[in-house]
Every structure is written in structure tokens, then in C-alpha cells.
Amino acid sequence: IGSRIWVMLENRAIEMDKFDSKDISILLWAFAKAGQKAPALFDHFENLIISRIDGFNAQGISNILWAYAKVGHRSPDLFDAAAGEAIKKFDSYNSQDISNIVWSYATVGLYPYDLFYAAAEEAIKKLDTFKSREISIMLWSCATAGHPFPKLLDAATREAMKRFNKFNSQGISNIVWSHATIGHRSPELFDAAAREAIKQLDTFKPQEIANTVWSYAKVGHPSQELFNAAAREAIQKLDTFKPQEISSMLWAYASAGHFF
């Protein structure tokens, strides 16, 4: 669909007043999924969503928060109202709902402890149903929010160890970065992550390479094979690295005393 059509759809949606809760969540999700920021549309529905927040089911709340975060439309009042409602319903949320919700709050820079705590507790109960990507998102979100939940980290570590071959480059990078950011040492996890990262390094983006070696240096976990392989991969992709990624790489190698 061309951008002109999206604008027409946005204007028409604003004019209409008969959207129910499900319609609203699907509408906003679709605009966000298509990369359409539509600020007027998201502004228009904000107060309506807040006034009807208790009428949204688990998926509806998850979709709405994800949509606002995805388009970068920060709405503290809406996120505050949604947090209270989400906490009441977490037992009915599936793994995707839970991971999407904490990702949304972390992405917009809002970190309500009660919401993150309730999400972590529910995630621990259902962790065997989480996809690898959802585990990494959960950990990244809690680390970004500055909420270190050791019980979640320990449970997620045990679950990740069963299926590290299911994690992609972003998942591996997120997991070790989360542990390092929070300061949670897990030698077995870092050893397993290094083995899997080496196999997949050609798929790692510059930020993922930089974050991974930074994480190992931060927790003081030596992995000569990983650092050698990461250096070789970084040299091949050096023209795509941002300044911060280069400085992060250099800090990691210097801190680890590893010179390539």
C-alpha cells in the first residue's frame, strides 16, 4: 500500500467513532507493523484507549503497547493506565504478550517496577513455553529497565542452556549483554554462548559483535577463541561499524587484555 493510501486510511479512521476495543488494537498494530508513524492517529486514540482500558484483553493491551513503542509514540498516561490493567491480567498472557509488553516499556523508556516484577514472575512460570527470541527480549527489557531479577535470570539461563542452537545472533547478543549489564555472572551460560556465537559470527551485525565482546569483558569472562573470531569478523565489516561500536570493541579488547 502506498503512503498516500495510508494517509487516507489514517484520516478516515480519525473521522469514525465506532471502533470497539479489538478494532482499535488491530488498527494501531497494522499501522505500526507497516512502519506508518501516523502521529495524529495515535494521538486521537490515546484518551479513548485510556478510558476503555479495562475492556481490552491481554492481546489487545499487548498489541497497543507494542504499536505505540514501535512507532516511537511515547504516551506516559496511556502506558501508566495499561500497566495497572496488565498486572491484573498477567496470568492470562502468553509468552509473546509478556515479552512484547516489557519490550514496549523498555523501548519507550518507562520502567514501572511493579509491572516488570509481575511480568518476570509470570514469565518464570511459563518459561518453557517461551520461544528463544522471547527469552532474549525479556532479559534485554529487564536489563534495559535496570530491574535485576535474579530468579528470572537463573531460570532463563537454565532454559537457554537447553537450546542455545535455537538463538540467532541478536538473541545471543541480548542474553550475554543482559547478564553483563545487570552484573549477573553465569560461567556456564557464557561458555555455551561463546560456542554458539562463533558458529554464527558471519550473521552478527556490528552492534551485536560489539555488544557481545563488551559483555564478556564486562563480566571478566575470558574466551580467547571468541575474541579472536570476533576480531576477524569485525575487520571484514569495519566500514559498517558506528563510532560507538568501534570504541566499545576497543574497550572490550583492552579491558580483557586481549590484543589481536
Side-chain angles (χ1 to χ4, degrees):
I1 303 178
S3 58
R4 184 178 176 185
I5 300 299
W6 281 107
V7 172
M8 292 173 63
L9 290 171
E10 177 184 0
N11 292 335
R12 180 57 181 149
I14 291 172
E15 292 171 0
M16 298 175 70
D17 60 0
K18 295 182 180 180
F19 286 100
D20 62 22
S21 299
K22 184 178 180 181
D23 292 334
I24 293 170
S25 69
I26 292 173
L27 174 72
L28 297 178
W29 177 88
F31 269 82
K33 186 70 174 178
Q36 300 295 318
K37 292 191 173 183
L41 181 77
F42 281 84
D43 279 340
H44 173 76
F45 279 107
E46 179 179 339
N47 289 332
L48 183 60
I49 293 168
I50 292 171
S51 67
R52 294 189 194 174
I53 197 67
D54 59 351
F56 288 89
N57 62 15
Q59 187 176 28
I61 291 175
S62 173
N63 283 349
I64 285 171
L65 293 173
W66 180 88
Y68 273 80
K70 184 69 175 177
V71 301
H73 197 103
R74 198 173 189 270
S75 174
D77 289 341
L78 184 148
F79 275 75
D80 184 55
E85 193 63 28
I87 290 170
K88 298 176 191 175
K89 299 177 177 177
F90 261 129
D91 60 345
S92 67
Y93 284 52
N94 62 29
S95 59
Q96 185 177 21
D97 294 332
I98 296 170
S99 61
N100 278 353
I101 285 175
V102 293
W103 176 88
S104 301
Y105 279 85
T107 298
V108 299
L110 296 170
Y111 313 130
Y113 179 84
D114 289 349
L115 177 120
F116 276 84
Y117 178 81
E121 289 292 304
E122 196 62 35
I124 291 169
K125 299 175 189 175
K126 301 174 178 175
L127 210 53
D128 61 340
T129 69
F130 273 60
K131 296 177 181 177
S132 300
R133 180 175 179 272
E134 292 162 352
I135 292 175
S136 73
I137 288 173
M138 191 79 200
L139 295 183
W140 176 88
S141 301
C142 289
T144 299
H147 295 318
F149 298 120
K151 283 171 57 180
L152 174 63
L153 284 166
D154 288 339
T157 295
R158 290 192 295 272
E159 193 61 37
M161 293 290 288
K162 300 175 187 177
R163 43 173 156 140
F164 246 119
N165 62 333
K166 302 294 185 183
F167 286 86
N168 61 13
S169 59
Q170 185 180 33
I172 295 169
S173 176
N174 278 351
I175 284 183
V176 295
W177 181 87
S178 300
H179 278 73
T181 297
I182 289 173
H184 191 86
R185 290 179 59 82
S186 177
E188 296 86 356
L189 179 135
F190 274 79
D191 284 341
R195 289 191 293 270
E196 193 58 38
I198 290 168
K199 296 176 188 175
Q200 300 186 35
L201 266 176
D202 61 330
T203 68
F204 274 57
K205 296 175 182 177
Q207 184 180 20
E208 293 162 354
I209 297 173
N211 283 354
T212 298
V213 295
W214 176 89
S215 301
Y216 279 77
K218 181 70 173 176
V219 299
H221 190 93
S223 180
Q224 183 173 348
E225 190 176 359
L226 173 64
F227 271 66
N228 286 342
R232 289 192 293 269
E233 193 65 33
I235 289 170
Q236 295 180 33
K237 300 174 178 176
L238 202 55
D239 60 341
T240 65
F241 273 66
K242 296 176 182 176
Q244 184 179 357
E245 293 159 354
I246 293 174
S247 64
S248 182
M249 285 278 293
L250 294 175
W251 178 89
Y253 279 80
S255 295
H258 192 105
F259 302 100
F260 185 79

